[in-house]
Amino acid sequence: MKYLELYESGELTRRIKAAYARLAACDICPHACGVNRLAGETGLCESGKEVRIASANVHRGEEPPISGTRGSGTIFLSGCTLNCKFCQNFPISQLRNGTDLTVGQLADKMVGLQKKGVHNINFVTPTHFTPQILAALYLAIRKGFRIPIVWNTSGYESLETLELLDGVVDIYLPDMKYCSNEVAVRLSGAKGYTEVNRRALPEMLRQVGHLQCDEDGIAVRGLIVRHLVLPKGQAGSPETLGWIAENLGAETHIALMSQYFPAHAAAQTPGIERRITSEEYAEAVDALEELELENGWVQEEP
């Protein structure tokens, strides 16, 4: 694991200090709220200095190379850098249900899941807790932590934060949600999402490359891009897939998801108040095939 080299060289310690310093006028995510989280102030993510998690369990429902045969050690972080009106996990992301932990306790969760035999540690919506996760990793390494780290993210990442993760994250699992900033603001409160997302994913690819699996088909390193098809073309699926093919390459692994349903506030939001149709999902699948994006997974039509 490359993070062991960062630990041995002292680079991980330097990054932890740099990351915590940024919490004093927080710019960990692209919202750059500028609040002093070290002093208890909170910005859009409503998170301060302490890390909060909703759960830490063995999860078997991710993409096959992530869940594998023994499951993924999934740690759901509370809060989020987005405010998606259709979030299926809104009690965790929006209401911040969960338990505050010290970084030492988070490290113990990581090591405990490793002892259960999971293939990886899968941090879900982790961005706003990047400093705390780096510190927990340092402590976990001292306790024998040695498995891949998955960064399961909305794709709304600043390049400065991704620099802190270079060599730390083994597998990036980002969303590409939108190709329209107007839609991104209306549905997720994410200013400049398209430009931010399209800068972030090439950097992720530069760091970890395309997906690599071991002889058993278990992911050890690389990029998997998730795209959720939304009703009435709100996600701009053909354009998004075209951008992936042109800028990340046809070998990119894509999880094309059909599972949308109007959760949270979606039922009251024009344009996303219903499930997607089989025709809408088929249009996205057709685009995938026409672009010769052959790596990845499609789901059953709704």
Side-chain angles (χ1 to χ4, degrees):
M1 299 299 153
K2 286 194 172 184
Y3 57 70
L4 296 176
E5 297 176 12
L6 300 180
Y7 172 83
E8 294 292 344
S9 69
E11 173 63 13
L12 182 56
T13 299
R14 187 198 69 78
R15 293 194 194 178
I16 293 167
K17 292 178 180 178
Y20 269 96
R22 288 174 55 186
L23 291 180
C26 189
D27 64 351
I28 295 295
C29 88
H31 289 292
C33 296
V35 298
N36 186 351
R37 289 172 59 185
L38 298 175
E41 296 177 3
T42 59
L44 182 138
C45 70
E46 299 185 16
S47 302
K49 182 179 179 181
E50 298 302 315
V51 64
R52 177 175 292 187
I53 73 166
S55 63
N57 294 304
V58 179
H59 184 45
R60 303 182 186 278
E62 302 285 29
E63 287 76 9
I66 303 296
S67 291
T69 55
R70 301 195 304 271
S72 175
T74 303
I75 299 178
F76 276 89
L77 285 302
S78 301
C80 186
T81 59
L82 299 187
N83 186 19
C84 298
K85 294 183 181 296
F86 53 88
C87 183
Q88 298 172 11
N89 295 317
F90 73 90
I92 299 171
S93 64
Q94 315 282 323
L95 305 181
R96 298 191 70 248
N97 290 350
T99 303
D100 289 336
L101 301 180
T102 66
V103 293
Q105 289 170 324
L106 180 58
D108 289 340
K109 296 286 187 184
M110 296 166 64
V111 174
L113 286 166
Q114 177 179 260
K115 289 179 179 177
K116 291 183 178 181
V118 297
H119 297 293
N120 49 63
I121 292 297
N122 181 357
F123 289 111
V124 182
T125 59
T127 304
H128 51 302
F129 288 123
T130 296
Q132 296 89 337
I133 290 171
L134 292 174
L137 173 62
Y138 178 91
L139 296 176
I141 290 171
R142 298 178 67 177
K143 297 181 179 184
F145 183 77
R146 297 292 186 275
I147 58 177
I149 291 175
V150 179
W151 202 255
N152 188 338
T153 168
S154 67
Y156 194 57
E157 302 275 6
S158 73
L159 293 180
E160 293 78 13
T161 296
L162 290 177
E163 288 175 6
L164 295 171
L165 299 172
D166 191 0
V168 170
V169 171
D170 300 285
I171 301 158
Y172 278 108
L173 190 56
D175 293 336
M176 286 202 83
K177 291 184 178 293
Y178 308 110
C179 65
S180 162
N181 284 331
E182 183 274 327
V183 175
V185 170
R186 179 165 54 85
L187 299 185
S188 295
K191 59 183 180 181
Y193 180 91
T194 301
E195 290 80 11
V196 168
N197 187 235
R198 292 180 179 184
R199 285 194 299 266
L201 267 68
E203 171 59 16
M204 295 177 187
L205 181 62
R206 184 196 68 77
Q207 290 184 18
V208 299
H210 288 292
L211 185 65
Q212 302 171 41
C213 297
D214 64 16
E215 61 274 11
D216 297 317
I218 307 301
V220 294
R221 189 169 177 81
L223 174 72
I224 298 173
V225 181
R226 284 175 168 171
H227 178 71
L228 178 67
V229 179
L230 294 177
K232 302 180 182 179
Q234 297 290 299
S237 300
E239 181 179 335
T240 297
L241 295 172
W243 186 92
I244 291 172
E246 182 176 352
N247 294 276
L248 302 180
E251 61 268 51
T252 305
H253 282 70
I254 300 169
L256 188 67
M257 299 182 291
S258 64
Q259 65 204 47
Y260 175 81
F261 67 93
H264 189 30
Q268 293 78 44
T269 304
I272 57 169
E273 67 274 24
R274 60 163 173 79
R275 291 179 178 269
I276 66 169
T277 65
S278 58
E279 291 78 13
E280 287 169 332
Y281 188 66
E283 180 186 12
V285 173
D286 288 345
L288 199 71
E289 294 174 351
E290 290 172 8
L291 293 162
E292 299 183 345
L293 291 164
E294 299 177 351
N295 291 332
W297 305 269
V298 296
Q299 296 178 332
E300 293 183 3
E301 291 188 0

